[in-house]
Every structure is written in C-alpha cells, then in structure tokens.
Amino acid sequence: EAVYEIRVTNQGTGPCSNVQLAAALAEGTTYTGSNGPTQIKAQGQQLIFDPIPQLGVKGEFVYRIRVRGTMPGDQRVRVQLTCDQVTTPVVKEESTRFYKDQ
C-alpha cells in the first residue's frame, strides 16, 4: 500500500476560487481511502474531489490518498488542478513501484 500526499499552496498574489482537483490512478492500483478538507468520490480509476470554494494567498490544503497495488510494477497517479484564475490546468504525476508479496 502507498500513501500519496497532495499539497496545494496558493503561491500567487490573489485568492483562487473554485479550486478543483481530479486524480487518475493506474490500472494496477485500487483506491482504499483518503482524508482531506473535502470528500473524494472514486469512479473506477478516477478520483473526483469536491471543490474548494476559496483558497487565499499563501493558503494551503492537504489530501492524503491511500492506494493498494494490485499488480507488481511501476504504477502512476496523475493529479490535475484547476481554478477560475488558472487558464491551463496544473498537472503532476507520481510513480510508485509495487512488488508482489512472496
């Protein structure tokens, strides 16, 4: 099992509104739970985060997502962030190598 920490910080000079995250899990992984400031709904390999209405300057929020590897190998999670003030989504990807238990 792996835990991904998603930390969002407003490094801009103005507040962000309607902050929305979405994550795509690799086919060889299963979502097992999370905690954070809003609810997360799993739809297959997609995680849909309830939006954050406002994130002030230097404001921050953190999610922790638990994922179990269902097959060995390099598995990736891809997270996308959008808000009303950003025209191009911010995308980050993290790779984790899962091993088969003997």
Side-chain angles (χ1 to χ4, degrees), residues 39-81:
Q39 295 293 313
I40 299 174
K41 296 172 204 74
Q43 297 175 347
Q45 295 305 101
Q46 300 295 314
L47 302 181
I48 307 300
F49 297 68
D50 285 350
I52 302 278
Q54 187 85 3
L55 181 61
V57 175
K58 306 297 182 211
E60 180 177 84
F61 59 86
V62 178
Y63 288 94
R64 287 181 183 80
I65 297 174
R66 293 180 304 283
V67 176
R68 177 173 287 123
T70 57
M71 53 191 286
D74 180 39
Q75 308 297 343
R76 296 177 186 266
V77 61
R78 180 183 171 108
V79 178
Q80 177 177 293
L81 178 138

Side-chain angles (χ1 to χ4, degrees), residues 1-4 25-26 28-30 66-77 94-101:
E1 191 166 281
V3 177
Y4 296 102
L25 302 178
T29 60
T30 301
R66 293 180 304 283
V67 176
R68 177 173 287 123
T70 57
M71 53 191 286
D74 180 39
Q75 308 297 343
R76 296 177 186 266
V77 61
E94 182 71 27
S95 173
T96 302
R97 179 160 298 278
F98 289 94
Y99 296 92
K100 182 178 179 180
D101 287 336

